[in-house]
Amino acid sequence: MASSAANRQGDATRQQLIKAAERLFATQGVDAVSVRAVNAAAGQGPASVHYHFGSKENLVAAVLLGVGAAVRDEIAANCEALAERREAPTPAEVVRALTDPYLALLLRHRVRGMRWVQIVVQISRDGRPAIESTGQDAVAASLREQVGRAFPDCDAERIDLRWPLVVMGFLQMLSHADGLGGRGARLGRDELVEFYEDLVTFVIGGAERMLG
């Protein structure tokens, strides 16, 4: 019983640290936030992050997986479904295999989801080691295969150079969505969906222009 209670308390502390890190990383930047600041924001002792995660980089990985594991798994499932089809996917299908899980996340967890998107933009730009431990590289490779099927006449090297522009363009714009309402207010649910659909239309057009 004591061990079970300790495990629950440990899990609760880990979640407090993850949520505190999410808030700080999204608003201040991953590199600008110290372990001490995360501990303080979570109301924990000065050694808490290292005790529960071992290092800041492991905490970053935990933050990426906090609400992001579902996005990763949904993208992977979308890629698998496209791979099982005999016919090649359309550019729109490939783009939506990537983007639809992000909208689903924001509709489920608006505040934490948007923070996560903002952190992903930082992490993707910096290429931090934490990405490797999330399994994201394998998903990106699966998606890249479907991009190749959708654009069979495009040189593989060009896809490798241009597809990341498609991904980062989508993420960058999505990360700013909550400042696009009236007077900088957060978009309402229907407004977010409308913005997302317009953004995806733009992203599909860009992909077709660069790779088609």
Side-chain angles (χ1 to χ4, degrees), residues 17-210:
L17 291 166
I18 289 171
K19 290 180 180 180
E22 283 177 357
R23 293 193 301 271
L24 294 176
F25 290 166
T27 57
Q28 300 178 27
V30 174
D31 289 331
V33 174
S34 67
V35 168
R36 177 181 297 180
V38 175
N39 286 326
Q44 300 297 323
S48 190
V49 165
H50 282 97
Y51 176 80
H52 288 281
F53 298 97
S55 68
K56 179 180 177 180
E57 201 64 25
N58 289 341
L59 172 62
V60 173
V63 167
L64 291 177
L65 288 171
V67 295
V71 175
R72 177 202 62 198
D73 293 346
E74 288 171 27
I75 294 173
N78 291 343
C79 291
E80 183 177 353
L82 293 177
E84 290 176 350
R85 284 175 20 187
R86 175 177 297 181
E87 69 274 17
T90 66
E93 287 174 329
V94 171
V95 169
R96 286 190 175 274
L98 167 70
T99 62
D100 282 357
Y102 283 85
L103 176 63
L105 170 65
L106 294 180
L107 294 179
R108 289 194 305 265
H109 306 291
R110 181 63 177 273
V111 174
R112 290 190 68 192
M114 187 57 72
R115 288 173 180 159
W116 180 81
V117 172
Q118 293 164 350
I119 294 167
V120 167
V121 169
Q122 297 179 49
I123 297 297
S124 299
R125 185 172 58 236
D126 297 340
R128 298 182 71 103
I131 295 176
E132 295 181 10
S133 63
T134 65
Q136 178 58 38
D137 287 345
V139 175
S142 296
L143 185 61
R144 168 64 180 80
E145 291 181 9
Q146 299 311 310
V147 175
R149 293 181 67 210
F151 297 98
D153 297 327
C154 186
D155 181 80
E157 184 176 355
R158 182 173 179 82
I159 293 177
D160 290 339
L161 290 172
R162 297 294 186 264
W163 176 250
L165 298 179
V166 175
V167 177
M168 286 306 300
F170 167 73
L171 292 175
Q172 287 276 6
M173 288 304 300
L174 188 64
S175 72
H176 295 295
D178 270 351
L180 298 177
R183 297 182 180 179
R186 191 174 81 174
L187 295 175
R189 183 184 178 92
D190 291 344
E191 292 174 316
L192 174 64
V193 173
E194 182 180 6
F195 170 80
Y196 167 80
E197 291 296 338
D198 288 343
L199 175 58
V200 169
T201 298
F202 176 79
V203 171
I204 293 169
E208 292 175 332
R209 178 75 175 182
M210 289 190 293

